[in-house]
Each structure stands twice: as C-alpha cells, then as structure tokens.
Amino acid sequence: MIEKREFYINGEWVSPLAGRDCEVIDPSNEEPCAVISLGGTEDTNAAVAAAKAAFEDWSQTDPEVRLAYVEKIRDIYVERAEDMSKAISLEMGAPIEMSRASQTTSGTWHIDNFITAFKNFEFLRPLGPHAPDNRIAMEPIGVAGLITPWNWPMNQVTLKAIPALLTGCTMVLKPSEIAPLSSIVFAEIVHAAGVPAGVFNLVNGDGVGVGTDLSTHPDVDMISFTGSARAGAAISKAAADTFKRVCLELGGKGANVIFADADEKAVVRGARHCFNNTGQSCNAPTRMLVERSIYDQAIETAVKVAESTKVASAHLDGNHIGPVVSAAQYEKIQGYIQKGIDEGARLVAGGVGRPEGLNRGYFVRPTVFADVSNDMTIAREEIFGPVLSIMPFDNEEEAIAIANDTNYGLTNYVQSQDGAKRNRLSRRLRSGMVEMNGQSRGAGAPFGGTKTSGRAREGGVWGLEEFLEVKAISGWDPAAE
C-alpha cells in the first residue's frame, strides 16, 4: 500500500490543511493500492495564493530561461520513465507494456513538440507593414487551474502544464482522484528540475471539491479541463461569475467511414483502435460506418479482432487490454451493452459480464454490435469502453450525414484509396480532427474538437496560445527595439 498524502504547494511537499483520506483502487484486482488526501478549500486557497505570488517574477523571466527548465523536466521525465509507467499501470489499469510504450511516452512526445514550437514562437509581433508603430504582444494569462482526467494521465498533464510553464503562467494542477499517482511523480520531476517555488502546485481532490474551488476562485485566471461533457458544462457555469477563460477538451463519438475501396487492413485497424486502452479514449473510433458492399465482410473481420483481443491484468507482460478504471465505469459500460441489446442492435461479439476466467477486476469483454442505427443509445452516447458499433451506408452523402449526426465533434476517420474522396470528406466532416488511412496527426498538430467535444486546441503553437492574452500596442518606437 502506497501512502502519499502530501500536496505540492509553493515548492514544498506539505500536509493537507483540510479534506479527507481517499483510497486509490487497483482496477486489476479491486484492491486499494494507495491512500491520498482529497484537499479542501483551504488547500486550494493556499495553492492559488502561491501561484499568484509567483506569477509576477515567473511571467517576466526570459523565455530562454523557461525553456531551459522545461528541457530539464524532459530529461528527468525520461530518467523516471519506469516509475511513471508503473504508476499509470497501477492507478488506471493500462497494461504495463502499453503504459511504457504509449502512456508514458505520450508525455515525452508532447514535451518535445512544445519545445520545438516554442523555439520559433514570437511573443512580440508587428501588426503589419501598414502600421509600423503597432505591435501585438502575447502575454501570459496568469494563474491557470489545470484539471486532468484518468484515462491518459500524462498525455493530458503535459498538454497543460508544459505550455503553461513555457508561456510564463503559474498553475495549480488537480489530477483525477481516481488516478493521482502519476501526477505525484510528475510533481517530483518538476521539483527536481528546480522550477521556482509557487510556479507549479499540485492539490489532489475531486471535482465537487477542489475542482469547483478552482473554477470559482477569483484569483484563477483560466481553467483548462479535460473530461466529460457533463463536468465541462458544470465548470463553465461555475467559472462564469469570475469571467475566467475556460478551455474544454471533452468527449467524442468518432465515426470511422470505411469505403469499399479501403485498404485490406482498414477494418482491423479501426477495431483495434476502438479497443485500445480498453476503449477509454475520447478520440476512439467507436462508430464504424461501412459501405454496404463490404458490410458483411467487415462484421466478420471485426468479430475476429474482438475475439482475438486478449484481456488480462495490467501487471502481466504481453499484448492485451486491461481493466477499465473503476467499478462505476464497469457498471456504466455493462449498462450500455445491455441497452444495445434491448434496443435491437445485433450483438456479434462480447456482451455483458467479465471475460471467461476473470472473476475479479473491472474487466470488460471486447464487444461488437452490428446493424446499429444512429438513433440508438450506443450510437449517441460516449460509452468509454471496448464497444464497437457497426452500421452500413450506401453512398458518400449518406456516410457524411450519419457521421455528422452526433452531438460530438472530436475525431472522425476516413478509409479510402481515392484521394479526392478523402479530401472531400475531410472538409465536410464536422470535427476538430480528421485522420485518414491510419495516418496519425503530425508533430505539433492541435488536438481538440467542436460541439459537445469542447473548443480547446491543445498541442503545438495552438496549445501555447491557449495560455496567452493578446495585447494590441500602438505608438511603439521601432527605433528603440
């Protein structure tokens, strides 16, 4: 049992001023694996006060100094990679090999991309040749409240904390109380890098407590939140009275449009992507739209993928998916699978209950539904588990209509060998991202969506700009530069 009750405030590990103890549960065996404290208002206030006091000096540091701190964080992060991988695997159930290969390295990937973007970033820019005495200044917004989820812990922490550090903001991080251990390791890394006291602070807590305190705090200038649409709406309402900036990266219900001319691996690739991280990814392609001429074949292929996807403890080596994160998540997913059956979708793989041989732990059977209609619950709501819904379409226009008929708009996918068709769909699909033929977004591309998926753009130059205010200056003396 790990006992780690301290918060990181003003450059020190400190005991909570308020709050209560909370067990962290290992989802592979349903046993407590750590004890943390959930902070109270006094803890949030102390962390915000530290961040506010540090802001003036930190915001005025030379950008090269801030860059040097982040480069040091990157070096220590790599040194602590195994510690990070074990923490993530333990707290949220990512299989240890997947945690090493994908979960932990997502943090390194974002740090590297931010470093690259920052080296060419202009904090002071000319307005244009028509106004030689005008400048546009990009200035740090102030104290940022960072609220991160459990499903990709370091992916989201680095997407928020690193650009905040680089742009000159100070911050208070509240990781998910379900998966806080990796963020504690991250705080240790920031401390080891020598980041000045008060610049980075960590307070564990839940959304109702510390999350609300940060969202309503008058000295917090922005909230960057990743999580559910429900929580995002609550944060937006809570933050309204203090007029703070709110950046939301929320859920998704991605459509994977597979045409008859798609490559032979398209269906396998799509199903595996849906099941990756046990389906706990907001950009998972959970709606597979298949051109009718290859529909039956696609179902057969998806069933084979589901039936060959191994499910096992996160602590075991090997290529498999692990449990979902919690009992509540397990029950929610079971309810969706039963809802799909009750509403008339054709269950072709998986189903309710745990996989054979697993009677303990939050394990879900990789599940495939065919003959799904877009008005069914499993096609409308984010399940956040290894559940794939397959539906047919007859032509390009129908595929676009089905794909766009959703409240979400995070990532859509297109599979076709016809370049002109891919290009057309990429512009007509209503989402913040479109990935085609298995090609991932390039380094520095922004991550974010539209509609109920939120309006944030995280990563690269766009991720830096989210933490900056734009100031227009006239009467600038170019000769004095």
Side-chain angles (χ1 to χ4, degrees):
M1 173 82 71
I2 299 170
E3 292 197 13
K4 195 79 174 185
R5 292 188 172 91
E6 298 89 351
F7 299 154
Y8 187 73
I9 298 175
N10 205 26
E12 297 180 338
W13 292 99
V14 299
S15 298
L17 298 171
R20 55 186 172 83
D21 283 352
C22 172
E23 290 182 333
V24 180
I25 304 299
D26 179 346
S28 289
N29 58 27
E30 304 181 42
E31 295 291 337
C33 63
V35 176
I36 62 167
S37 281
L38 302 182
T41 300
E42 297 93 329
D43 301 295
T44 306
N45 289 344
V48 172
K52 182 179 180 181
F55 176 71
E56 183 63 29
D57 287 344
W58 181 249
S59 65
Q60 297 304 310
T61 56
D62 189 283
E64 291 300 318
V65 172
R66 300 197 296 270
L67 176 61
Y69 278 116
V70 169
E71 289 175 333
K72 183 65 172 175
I73 288 171
R74 196 260 184 209
D75 291 343
I76 300 171
Y77 186 98
V78 172
E79 293 172 2
R80 297 285 308 273
E82 184 63 12
D83 294 334
M84 186 66 77
S85 298
K86 289 178 178 177
I88 293 172
S89 183
L90 180 65
E91 68 189 359
M92 58 76 59
I96 186 61
E97 290 187 16
M98 184 263 187
S99 188
R100 292 178 181 129
S102 300
Q103 287 276 2
T104 295
T105 56
S106 68
T108 320
W109 167 261
H110 292 310
I111 296 171
D112 286 342
N113 290 339
F114 278 125
I115 288 172
T116 299
F118 187 75
K119 288 179 177 178
N120 297 313
F121 194 84
E122 291 184 294
F123 285 91
L124 188 67
R125 313 167 182 178
L127 176 62
H130 67 288
D133 62 349
N134 276 236
R135 293 293 182 271
I136 299 298
M138 306 294 288
E139 299 184 345
I141 194 169
V143 176
L146 314 178
I147 304 175
T148 56
W150 46 260
N151 61 320
W152 285 90
M154 281 303 106
N155 183 76
Q156 293 307 133
V157 168
T158 54
L159 276 172
K160 300 179 191 300
I162 298 302
L165 288 166
L166 287 170
T167 55
C169 293
T170 57
M171 69 213 72
V172 179
L173 170 65
K174 188 210 83 66
S176 169
E177 69 277 17
I178 296 174
L181 306 180
S182 56
S183 288
I184 292 171
V185 175
F186 184 81
E188 292 172 351
I189 292 169
V190 172
H191 181 76
V195 173
V199 171
F200 173 89
N201 305 274
L202 179 146
V203 177
N204 285 311
D206 56 20
V208 174
V210 175
T212 299
D213 288 339
L214 286 172
S215 301
T216 58
H217 203 294
D219 291 332
V220 172
D221 299 288
M222 74 171 285
I223 293 289
S224 179
F225 169 78
T226 300
S228 70
R230 176 196 55 76
I235 286 171
S236 296
K237 293 172 184 176
D241 288 342
T242 49
F243 300 96
K244 54 175 56 69
R245 180 181 297 175
V246 178
C247 297
L248 302 174
E249 197 284 284
L250 308 175
K253 196 68 183 174
N256 186 9
V257 184
I258 301 179
F259 288 94
D261 65 349
D263 66 90
E264 61 182 10
K265 297 181 180 179
V267 175
V268 172
R269 186 170 61 240
R272 286 178 176 169
H273 191 175
C274 176
F275 299 148
N276 184 49
N277 203 38
T278 321
Q280 298 169 122
S281 300
C282 52
N283 63 343
T286 54
R287 292 185 297 151
M288 182 178 283
L289 281 54
V290 182
E291 194 163 7
R292 195 174 297 275
S293 62
I294 61 167
Y295 180 67
D296 291 339
Q297 177 186 340
I299 294 171
E300 291 179 9
T301 300
V303 168
K304 290 178 182 178
V305 173
E307 292 178 344
S308 64
T309 298
K310 297 179 181 178
V311 184
S313 167
H315 308 306
L316 296 177
D317 292 332
N319 184 20
H320 58 272
I321 63 174
V324 295
V325 73
S326 66
Q329 193 68 17
Y330 175 83
E331 293 299 333
K332 174 186 172 186
I333 295 165
Q334 297 302 308
Y336 276 121
I337 294 173
Q338 187 61 53
K339 192 78 169 176
I341 296 170
D342 294 343
E343 292 185 356
R346 178 160 58 100
L347 181 69
V348 293
V352 295
R354 291 181 174 87
E356 186 177 349
L358 295 169
N359 58 12
R360 189 165 177 79
Y362 308 127
F363 298 101
V364 176
R365 300 169 69 188
T367 296
V368 179
F369 283 102
D371 302 345
V372 177
S373 62
N374 219 32
D375 59 351
M376 291 180 179
T377 302
I378 58 172
R380 308 293 313 170
E381 298 184 14
E382 187 179 40
I383 298 173
F384 231 58
V387 181
L388 177 64
S389 297
I390 307 180
M391 57 191 81
F393 68 87
D394 290 307
N395 54 57
E396 186 175 323
E397 289 298 320
E398 184 183 13
I400 293 169
I402 295 172
N404 286 340
D405 181 19
T406 174
N407 292 330
Y408 292 100
L410 190 58
T411 314
N412 284 310
Y413 302 82
V414 181
Q415 320 298 328
S416 171
Q417 297 303 300
D418 185 335
K421 184 191 295 180
R422 293 200 310 271
N423 291 351
R424 287 194 302 272
L425 263 77
S426 72
R427 299 302 304 275
R428 293 188 61 189
L429 292 172
R430 296 193 62 198
S431 55
M433 299 169 285
V434 178
E435 297 183 10
M436 302 189 286
N437 285 359
Q439 184 170 333
S440 299
R441 292 169 297 111
F447 187 100
T450 63
K451 301 188 285 185
T452 307
S453 294
R455 303 287 174 175
R457 290 295 180 272
E458 297 185 312
V461 172
W462 294 269
L464 295 171
E465 290 180 346
E466 288 214 328
F467 290 87
L468 294 167
E469 297 278 25
V470 179
K471 178 187 286 183
I473 303 171
S474 61
W476 186 269
D477 185 355
E481 290 182 329

